[in-house]
Amino acid sequence: MATQGDILWYKDSVIYQLHVRTFCDSNNDGIGDFPGLLQKLDYLQELGINAIWLLPFFPSPLRDDGYDIANYTAVHSNYGSLEDFRTFLNAAHDRGIRIIIELVLNHTSDQHPWFQEARMSRDNPRRDWYVWSESDTRFKEAGIIFLDTEKSNWARDPVSQSYYWHRFFSHQPDLNFDNPAVFEAMWDAMKFWLEIGVDGFRLDAVPYLVEREGTSCENLPETHAIVRELRRRLDDAYPGKMLLAEANEWPAEVSEYFGNADEFHMAFHFPLMPRMFMAVRLEDRKPIIDILEQTPQIPSSCQWCIFLRNHDELTLGMVTDIERDYMYEAYASDKAMRLNLGIRRRLAPMMDNDRRQVELLNGLLMSMPGTPVIYYGDEIGMGDNIYLGDRNGVRTPMQWNGGWNAGFSGADPERLYSPLISNAVYGYQAINVESQKRLSHSLLSWMKRMINVRKSSRVFSRGSIEFLSPSNHRVLAYVRQLDDESVLIVNNLSKSAQAVELKLQCYKGRVPIEMFGGSIFPRIGDLPYLLTLAPYQFFWFRLRRL
């Protein structure tokens, strides 16, 4: 039986997010695959991560990078076989790395056999697996998510001469969770992967599972009931497995998805992410403190999942219009960098490749309450290609070395699923794993140390947070506390050197020990504690009783 510590493994994880096709191509067809990913597990183990979140790898027409699923219980032939997945999973587990996979509950591809049957006739047994209407006027209060490409949440099906409901692309019809058979089919899909041995699921687009007239069709009580039943079955049959919610909503709404510790184990904290970027550009701690003070307490077994960047656009749905305009001006002045209500760029280019800012943001990510997610390639400072369509500019091949196709594939360059980044600043000759492994001061080497320090104490993954309020608003300082361990974190959000006086009298007599180098700082006394910080510098101090 799993111990309580094992059951809460997700709280102490550092998650690495990747798409199989982007990582390593073993058979030289230009597309990454599971045998290639298997070859790179040692790299990920050395990095220090202990969980991998895989983007969808199921059979799919790939019109939405695999989120348009055509079969929930198989592997897309581009990425290998089911046996290849099993081999990869077992090898990851041998290295102490857990595997989180996607489950897209809300919709399927229009090429899924279920939809193909549903559209054949109005009395087909699968007809009621989707949401149909004779008109496109129902559920008017529901907003359109992909404003750039979709004009309605209804699409007319030429085969059955009626409308079907889709909250995302029109080639992704929504499943009808009012039909119990749909729920059972999804539970069967989950069981299939749980039996193989996956450790958790990221459930995509959770708020939209159920539709009701006169509502926004988001976060409905019926949706929470579905999640509770999934969780009940998971806990009963597969204890120690984890559910992660993708719900791009305000913290008060998302926190409801934890329920009474009987819905999701984890949920992404979407609104925190843009505010970390805002705080650095504004040189002001207020955006971060404001959003975390708005964040409700959650059950002790639950956890926020936090991130800087991922495979989607940097979403600005959870900011005000003024804040969105500011973020566009600061980080996406070229309109090609924008998509939907967001910014489609990677971390390093957003920071103008300023290593100090990249380190500061990663320092925030690793020291804030929650489980951090690192997007593949960000640990070496990879760039993006804003001239590729949709969100593909941040989904280019991993840059392993300065050789043929960046070491990603032996194929002809023209065969690669995506062009490589090859410009003078972010190109694979300049930015790659091999060269950074050779340098102790590279970003990759620094990230390894950062992850190692974070994992050295559960105060980061499980501790409380208390913000300090120094008069210098350019400095963000907080204390993380767990049992009798206290860690002081001080961040300079400014591009210029700053001095700060911190009221630490309640820690009088303790000695701050800097956690990266072990340096001992002056003992805390009765007076405010004075620190000076270089531009974008941060300190992590263990407050030791000596």
Side-chain angles (χ1 to χ4, degrees), residues 6 76 89 96 127 172 347 415-416 443 467 482 541:
D6 291 332
H76 196 296
L89 181 79
R127 179 71 174 182
Q172 293 168 327
L347 177 61
R415 280 196 77 182
L416 300 189
L443 180 60
F467 289 104
L482 183 67
F541 294 112

Side-chain angles (χ1 to χ4, degrees), residues 74 134 184 195 198 328 357 443 519:
E134 294 309 304
E184 294 301 332
E195 288 294 329
V198 303
Y328 278 150
Q357 292 185 65
L443 180 60
S519 300

Side-chain angles (χ1 to χ4, degrees), residues 32-51:
D33 46 44
F34 279 112
L37 180 52
L38 177 67
Q39 295 169 22
K40 300 300 184 183
L41 277 175
D42 287 345
Y43 164 77
L44 294 174
Q45 187 178 17
E46 287 167 21
L47 181 60
I49 61 95
N50 44 18

Side-chain angles (χ1 to χ4, degrees), residues 195-246:
E195 288 294 329
I196 288 174
V198 303
D199 300 285
F201 296 93
R202 172 198 181 264
L203 299 192
D204 181 67
V206 169
Y208 314 106
L209 298 185
V210 178
E211 301 76 33
R212 290 291 180 268
E213 202 63 67
T215 74
S216 66
C217 300
E218 295 179 23
N219 308 313
L220 298 181
E222 294 89 340
T223 295
H224 286 280
I226 288 166
V227 175
R228 277 194 300 278
E229 178 60 14
L230 276 180
R231 172 67 183 271
R232 185 190 68 76
R233 293 186 183 193
L234 189 74
D235 285 352
D236 286 352
Y238 304 96
K241 306 298 184 178
M242 182 273 293
L243 296 178
L244 166 59
E246 188 225 14

Side-chain angles (χ1 to χ4, degrees), residues 77-144:
S77 58
N78 282 354
Y79 310 136
S81 65
L82 194 56
E83 198 50 45
D84 291 331
F85 176 80
R86 288 181 203 269
T87 304
F88 156 74
L89 181 79
N90 292 334
H93 285 168
D94 289 344
R95 290 166 173 79
I97 297 173
R98 304 199 191 234
I99 302 300
I100 301 162
I101 69 169
E102 293 271 358
L103 195 69
V104 182
L105 290 178
N106 182 66
H107 51 264
T108 69
S109 164
D110 59 8
Q111 301 305 303
H112 197 295
W114 298 344
F115 187 72
Q116 291 298 315
E117 286 184 48
R119 75 199 310 192
M120 279 166 58
S121 75
R122 300 185 183 208
D123 52 6
N124 187 284
R126 294 232 200 260
R127 179 71 174 182
D128 195 36
W129 283 44
Y130 294 86
V131 181
W132 298 92
S133 176
E134 294 309 304
S135 73
D136 60 357
T137 57
R138 293 172 65 199
F139 311 137
K140 282 182 178 169
E141 287 84 355
I144 296 169

Side-chain angles (χ1 to χ4, degrees), residues 431-449:
I431 304 284
N432 63 70
V433 169
E434 188 179 273
S435 64
Q436 294 199 18
K437 269 183 152 180
R438 296 166 65 175
L439 297 170
S440 60
H441 62 271
S442 68
L443 180 60
L444 176 61
S445 298
W446 183 89
M447 286 290 287
K448 286 180 185 175
R449 287 196 299 276

